Amino acid sequence: MTKKLEGKVALITGASAGIGQACARALAGEGARLVLTARRQERLDALKKEAESLGTEAVSVTGDAREEQTAIETVKIALDTFGRLDILINNTGAGNYKNLVETNAEEYDSLMDTNVRSTFLFTRHVVPVMLEQKSGTILMISSMAGVYGFRGEAVYCMTKFAQVGFAQALDRELRESGIKVGAICPGGVKTEFAIGKGRTERGVAESAMLDPEDVAGVVLLACTQSPKSRIIEVQMRTMAEALA
């Protein structure tokens, strides 16, 4: 049976853990060739071997997603290796769960660079490739904090609202060129990222948060839509959590 993403190439940022790692596994399982980038080389190497064991190909680039050179190098390696780019998963992110008066300017800058600048940089360097191909899917891994404002998460919400707005604007800008753009907005997910600043590892582990695989399943759905349809935004909540 032909796999749904056979022949497609997917670039995933923040691929060494959590949602990014789960997305890599889900897309590889459907035949996508992977371009993986993150800061932890050993984890990328292990994930590359895992993808290859599933019968697909993978390359990795170690680097900081906040730096433009990382985006440039990753896109270049993708094209040099596979000749195309079909999917971009902007997954790099960080959390900060603190009241505004407890958040300093350095933390603000770090959060904006990690969550917003990285999204801009990779999208900026992938879009020209997709425009030439007249096809592609770009997904922002945002958050329910990009849909509602939550107490004690003001700066984090700011960055996640930015990702949703970016996706909405690019949908209007790129749709006629055959490029699909969407935002995936999960509630809390059990990852290293969820601990962020202001939560404990034990608290996250014992919570009823979503698993990374829950989010990866929705990402896979968005990446396997028919050519005539697109997923613009998905809001996800655990069954244990009420709406805001």
Side-chain angles (χ1 to χ4, degrees), residues 12 15-32 34 36 43 46-47 50-51 54 56 212-213 216 220:
I12 304 171
S16 63
I19 294 173
Q21 188 179 73
C23 287
R25 290 170 176 151
L27 271 56
E30 286 295 337
L34 303 180
L36 309 168
R43 290 197 179 193
L47 189 58
E50 190 175 339
L54 293 172
T56 190
E213 291 75 19
L220 179 60

Side-chain angles (χ1 to χ4, degrees), residues 97 188-212:
Y97 312 106
V189 184
K190 292 182 180 180
T191 64
E192 297 171 9
F193 160 90
I195 299 168
K197 296 179 180 178
R199 291 177 176 164
T200 66
E201 185 174 351
R202 179 177 178 180
V204 170
E206 293 178 353
S207 74
M209 289 181 179
L210 297 165
D211 291 317

Side-chain angles (χ1 to χ4, degrees), residues 209-225:
M209 289 181 179
L210 297 165
D211 291 317
E213 291 75 19
D214 297 325
V215 184
V218 173
V219 168
L220 179 60
L221 176 65
C223 291
T224 54
Q225 289 293 292

